Amino acid sequence: MADGLRDRPWQGLAAHVMFLASHICCESSYTSVGLQAIDEIVPTLLHALEDDKTSDTTLDGLTKILSVRTSAVLPHILPKLVHLPLYAFHVHSLGALAKVASPCLNFHLGTMLPALLSTMGDEDKEVQASSKEVTEIMVLVIDEKGVESLISELVKGVNDS
């Protein structure tokens, strides 16, 4: 009889996500092991985003972690997700993360928007439509402090195209 985790690797991944989320949620644990856990788990989760079998579960876990510790996790996630060329799962992931990362989104508009704007002319209509949708989400979730950065990035994107 085979080991259950080998038969269902997503369950092992889900267990790691829940372990990390529980440690991050508990403030005292976060200060002692949170950053170490983030550094160890997030790269594995980012790799799992590319696997069709685990991507939905992984994205759900990342959004839960991100909703608790946005400023600690977002810098780990963004470089992987905005690396060109963007594919549909990158754009979808950016949209899901933008919804929960709104408090810190202002600081990362210069990273996220150029990548999204570059895909709006993509040959893949799904990527093109998703990029427009995610950009709309970002416009809706940023706070008033981010409006100036948003406008600046949008104007820069229009001038570059």
Side-chain angles (χ1 to χ4, degrees), residues 77-94:
I77 298 171
L78 283 181
K80 178 78 171 180
L81 293 180
V82 299
H83 182 69
L84 297 176
L86 291 186
Y87 298 105
F89 77 89
H90 289 115
V91 178
H92 173 71
S93 299
L94 284 171

PDB file of all heavy atoms in Angstrom, residues 77-94:
ATOM      1  N   ILE A  77       6.780  36.982  -3.738  1.00  0.00           N
ATOM      2  CA  ILE A  77       5.887  36.452  -4.760  1.00  0.00           C
ATOM      3  C   ILE A  77       5.977  37.212  -6.082  1.00  0.00           C
ATOM      4  O   ILE A  77       6.003  36.612  -7.151  1.00  0.00           O
ATOM      5  CB  ILE A  77       4.428  36.471  -4.241  1.00  0.00           C
ATOM      6  CG1 ILE A  77       4.298  35.579  -3.018  1.00  0.00           C
ATOM      7  CG2 ILE A  77       3.456  36.051  -5.316  1.00  0.00           C
ATOM      8  CD1 ILE A  77       2.957  35.703  -2.326  1.00  0.00           C
ATOM      9  N   LEU A  78       6.020  38.527  -6.005  1.00  0.00           N
ATOM     10  CA  LEU A  78       5.917  39.339  -7.218  1.00  0.00           C
ATOM     11  C   LEU A  78       6.971  39.062  -8.289  1.00  0.00           C
ATOM     12  O   LEU A  78       6.615  38.978  -9.468  1.00  0.00           O
ATOM     13  CB  LEU A  78       5.913  40.828  -6.870  1.00  0.00           C
ATOM     14  CG  LEU A  78       4.592  41.335  -6.340  1.00  0.00           C
ATOM     15  CD1 LEU A  78       4.677  42.829  -6.056  1.00  0.00           C
ATOM     16  CD2 LEU A  78       3.452  41.040  -7.277  1.00  0.00           C
ATOM     17  N   PRO A  79       8.247  38.938  -7.952  1.00  0.00           N
ATOM     18  CA  PRO A  79       9.221  38.709  -9.034  1.00  0.00           C
ATOM     19  C   PRO A  79       8.896  37.495  -9.896  1.00  0.00           C
ATOM     20  O   PRO A  79       9.079  37.524 -11.116  1.00  0.00           O
ATOM     21  CB  PRO A  79      10.550  38.515  -8.288  1.00  0.00           C
ATOM     22  CG  PRO A  79      10.368  39.259  -7.007  1.00  0.00           C
ATOM     23  CD  PRO A  79       8.908  39.075  -6.662  1.00  0.00           C
ATOM     24  N   LYS A  80       8.388  36.454  -9.296  1.00  0.00           N
ATOM     25  CA  LYS A  80       8.030  35.244 -10.042  1.00  0.00           C
ATOM     26  C   LYS A  80       6.805  35.485 -10.929  1.00  0.00           C
ATOM     27  O   LYS A  80       6.757  35.027 -12.069  1.00  0.00           O
ATOM     28  CB  LYS A  80       7.755  34.111  -9.049  1.00  0.00           C
ATOM     29  CG  LYS A  80       7.321  32.829  -9.672  1.00  0.00           C
ATOM     30  CD  LYS A  80       8.462  32.074 -10.258  1.00  0.00           C
ATOM     31  CE  LYS A  80       7.999  30.685 -10.669  1.00  0.00           C
ATOM     32  NZ  LYS A  80       9.045  29.898 -11.234  1.00  0.00           N
ATOM     33  N   LEU A  81       5.842  36.229 -10.410  1.00  0.00           N
ATOM     34  CA  LEU A  81       4.585  36.406 -11.139  1.00  0.00           C
ATOM     35  C   LEU A  81       4.656  37.447 -12.248  1.00  0.00           C
ATOM     36  O   LEU A  81       3.862  37.402 -13.178  1.00  0.00           O
ATOM     37  CB  LEU A  81       3.459  36.770 -10.163  1.00  0.00           C
ATOM     38  CG  LEU A  81       3.076  35.681  -9.184  1.00  0.00           C
ATOM     39  CD1 LEU A  81       1.956  36.175  -8.265  1.00  0.00           C
ATOM     40  CD2 LEU A  81       2.641  34.417  -9.902  1.00  0.00           C
ATOM     41  N   VAL A  82       5.567  38.408 -12.161  1.00  0.00           N
ATOM     42  CA  VAL A  82       5.631  39.458 -13.188  1.00  0.00           C
ATOM     43  C   VAL A  82       6.735  39.219 -14.204  1.00  0.00           C
ATOM     44  O   VAL A  82       6.963  40.033 -15.086  1.00  0.00           O
ATOM     45  CB  VAL A  82       5.777  40.869 -12.571  1.00  0.00           C
ATOM     46  CG1 VAL A  82       4.591  41.196 -11.698  1.00  0.00           C
ATOM     47  CG2 VAL A  82       7.077  41.020 -11.815  1.00  0.00           C
ATOM     48  N   HIS A  83       7.417  38.088 -14.083  1.00  0.00           N
ATOM     49  CA  HIS A  83       8.480  37.750 -15.032  1.00  0.00           C
ATOM     50  C   HIS A  83       7.849  37.490 -16.401  1.00  0.00           C
ATOM     51  O   HIS A  83       6.962  36.653 -16.549  1.00  0.00           O
ATOM     52  CB  HIS A  83       9.245  36.518 -14.535  1.00  0.00           C
ATOM     53  CG  HIS A  83      10.377  36.140 -15.410  1.00  0.00           C
ATOM     54  ND1 HIS A  83      11.513  36.906 -15.527  1.00  0.00           N
ATOM     55  CD2 HIS A  83      10.554  35.078 -16.233  1.00  0.00           C
ATOM     56  CE1 HIS A  83      12.334  36.327 -16.383  1.00  0.00           C
ATOM     57  NE2 HIS A  83      11.782  35.212 -16.826  1.00  0.00           N
ATOM     58  N   LEU A  84       8.308  38.248 -17.392  1.00  0.00           N
ATOM     59  CA  LEU A  84       7.760  38.126 -18.736  1.00  0.00           C
ATOM     60  C   LEU A  84       8.337  36.911 -19.453  1.00  0.00           C
ATOM     61  O   LEU A  84       9.492  36.573 -19.225  1.00  0.00           O
ATOM     62  CB  LEU A  84       8.046  39.399 -19.528  1.00  0.00           C
ATOM     63  CG  LEU A  84       7.391  40.667 -18.977  1.00  0.00           C
ATOM     64  CD1 LEU A  84       7.822  41.868 -19.791  1.00  0.00           C
ATOM     65  CD2 LEU A  84       5.881  40.552 -18.962  1.00  0.00           C
ATOM     66  N   PRO A  85       7.606  36.253 -20.287  1.00  0.00           N
ATOM     67  CA  PRO A  85       6.228  36.552 -20.678  1.00  0.00           C
ATOM     68  C   PRO A  85       5.239  36.074 -19.615  1.00  0.00           C
ATOM     69  O   PRO A  85       5.468  35.049 -18.965  1.00  0.00           O
ATOM     70  CB  PRO A  85       6.046  35.755 -21.970  1.00  0.00           C
ATOM     71  CG  PRO A  85       6.973  34.589 -21.823  1.00  0.00           C
ATOM     72  CD  PRO A  85       8.138  35.091 -21.005  1.00  0.00           C
ATOM     73  N   LEU A  86       4.187  36.836 -19.453  1.00  0.00           N
ATOM     74  CA  LEU A  86       3.139  36.446 -18.509  1.00  0.00           C
ATOM     75  C   LEU A  86       2.194  35.465 -19.196  1.00  0.00           C
ATOM     76  O   LEU A  86       1.826  35.653 -20.349  1.00  0.00           O
ATOM     77  CB  LEU A  86       2.332  37.661 -18.055  1.00  0.00           C
ATOM     78  CG  LEU A  86       3.018  38.676 -17.167  1.00  0.00           C
ATOM     79  CD1 LEU A  86       2.011  39.729 -16.715  1.00  0.00           C
ATOM     80  CD2 LEU A  86       3.670  38.050 -15.968  1.00  0.00           C
ATOM     81  N   TYR A  87       1.843  34.444 -18.463  1.00  0.00           N
ATOM     82  CA  TYR A  87       0.860  33.480 -18.945  1.00  0.00           C
ATOM     83  C   TYR A  87      -0.423  33.673 -18.155  1.00  0.00           C
ATOM     84  O   TYR A  87      -0.464  34.421 -17.179  1.00  0.00           O
ATOM     85  CB  TYR A  87       1.391  32.050 -18.790  1.00  0.00           C
ATOM     86  CG  TYR A  87       2.632  31.809 -19.612  1.00  0.00           C
ATOM     87  CD1 TYR A  87       3.885  31.752 -19.017  1.00  0.00           C
ATOM     88  CD2 TYR A  87       2.543  31.662 -20.990  1.00  0.00           C
ATOM     89  CE1 TYR A  87       5.026  31.550 -19.786  1.00  0.00           C
ATOM     90  CE2 TYR A  87       3.678  31.452 -21.774  1.00  0.00           C
ATOM     91  CZ  TYR A  87       4.909  31.403 -21.160  1.00  0.00           C
ATOM     92  OH  TYR A  87       6.032  31.215 -21.926  1.00  0.00           O
ATOM     93  N   ALA A  88      -1.468  33.007 -18.568  1.00  0.00           N
ATOM     94  CA  ALA A  88      -2.784  33.186 -17.945  1.00  0.00           C
ATOM     95  C   ALA A  88      -2.735  32.951 -16.441  1.00  0.00           C
ATOM     96  O   ALA A  88      -3.338  33.697 -15.668  1.00  0.00           O
ATOM     97  CB  ALA A  88      -3.812  32.277 -18.605  1.00  0.00           C
ATOM     98  N   PHE A  89      -2.013  31.914 -15.981  1.00  0.00           N
ATOM     99  CA  PHE A  89      -2.002  31.654 -14.542  1.00  0.00           C
ATOM    100  C   PHE A  89      -1.252  32.742 -13.780  1.00  0.00           C
ATOM    101  O   PHE A  89      -1.579  33.031 -12.635  1.00  0.00           O
ATOM    102  CB  PHE A  89      -1.453  30.259 -14.211  1.00  0.00           C
ATOM    103  CG  PHE A  89       0.041  30.117 -14.281  1.00  0.00           C
ATOM    104  CD1 PHE A  89       0.828  30.378 -13.166  1.00  0.00           C
ATOM    105  CD2 PHE A  89       0.646  29.699 -15.446  1.00  0.00           C
ATOM    106  CE1 PHE A  89       2.199  30.234 -13.225  1.00  0.00           C
ATOM    107  CE2 PHE A  89       2.018  29.561 -15.515  1.00  0.00           C
ATOM    108  CZ  PHE A  89       2.804  29.832 -14.407  1.00  0.00           C
ATOM    109  N   HIS A  90      -0.246  33.394 -14.406  1.00  0.00           N
ATOM    110  CA  HIS A  90       0.436  34.518 -13.760  1.00  0.00           C
ATOM    111  C   HIS A  90      -0.555  35.650 -13.524  1.00  0.00           C
ATOM    112  O   HIS A  90      -0.637  36.211 -12.431  1.00  0.00           O
ATOM    113  CB  HIS A  90       1.562  35.076 -14.645  1.00  0.00           C
ATOM    114  CG  HIS A  90       2.751  34.196 -14.763  1.00  0.00           C
ATOM    115  ND1 HIS A  90       3.112  33.621 -15.950  1.00  0.00           N
ATOM    116  CD2 HIS A  90       3.676  33.813 -13.853  1.00  0.00           C
ATOM    117  CE1 HIS A  90       4.212  32.919 -15.786  1.00  0.00           C
ATOM    118  NE2 HIS A  90       4.570  33.002 -14.512  1.00  0.00           N
ATOM    119  N   VAL A  91      -1.283  35.989 -14.584  1.00  0.00           N
ATOM    120  CA  VAL A  91      -2.219  37.109 -14.511  1.00  0.00           C
ATOM    121  C   VAL A  91      -3.337  36.803 -13.522  1.00  0.00           C
ATOM    122  O   VAL A  91      -3.692  37.641 -12.691  1.00  0.00           O
ATOM    123  CB  VAL A  91      -2.777  37.435 -15.915  1.00  0.00           C
ATOM    124  CG1 VAL A  91      -3.796  38.566 -15.844  1.00  0.00           C
ATOM    125  CG2 VAL A  91      -1.638  37.806 -16.861  1.00  0.00           C
ATOM    126  N   HIS A  92      -3.857  35.592 -13.580  1.00  0.00           N
ATOM    127  CA  HIS A  92      -4.911  35.187 -12.641  1.00  0.00           C
ATOM    128  C   HIS A  92      -4.406  35.288 -11.196  1.00  0.00           C
ATOM    129  O   HIS A  92      -5.106  35.781 -10.319  1.00  0.00           O
ATOM    130  CB  HIS A  92      -5.380  33.760 -12.951  1.00  0.00           C
ATOM    131  CG  HIS A  92      -6.325  33.200 -11.958  1.00  0.00           C
ATOM    132  ND1 HIS A  92      -7.636  33.647 -11.852  1.00  0.00           N
ATOM    133  CD2 HIS A  92      -6.169  32.257 -11.004  1.00  0.00           C
ATOM    134  CE1 HIS A  92      -8.236  32.985 -10.875  1.00  0.00           C
ATOM    135  NE2 HIS A  92      -7.359  32.130 -10.355  1.00  0.00           N
ATOM    136  N   SER A  93      -3.199  34.839 -10.976  1.00  0.00           N
ATOM    137  CA  SER A  93      -2.606  34.894  -9.638  1.00  0.00           C
ATOM    138  C   SER A  93      -2.424  36.330  -9.176  1.00  0.00           C
ATOM    139  O   SER A  93      -2.695  36.656  -8.016  1.00  0.00           O
ATOM    140  CB  SER A  93      -1.253  34.179  -9.621  1.00  0.00           C
ATOM    141  OG  SER A  93      -1.402  32.827  -9.961  1.00  0.00           O
ATOM    142  N   LEU A  94      -1.967  37.201 -10.065  1.00  0.00           N
ATOM    143  CA  LEU A  94      -1.813  38.612  -9.707  1.00  0.00           C
ATOM    144  C   LEU A  94      -3.143  39.217  -9.287  1.00  0.00           C
ATOM    145  O   LEU A  94      -3.210  39.992  -8.326  1.00  0.00           O
ATOM    146  CB  LEU A  94      -1.224  39.405 -10.875  1.00  0.00           C
ATOM    147  CG  LEU A  94       0.264  39.228 -11.128  1.00  0.00           C
ATOM    148  CD1 LEU A  94       0.666  39.891 -12.437  1.00  0.00           C
ATOM    149  CD2 LEU A  94       1.073  39.789  -9.971  1.00  0.00           C
TER     150      LEU A  94
END
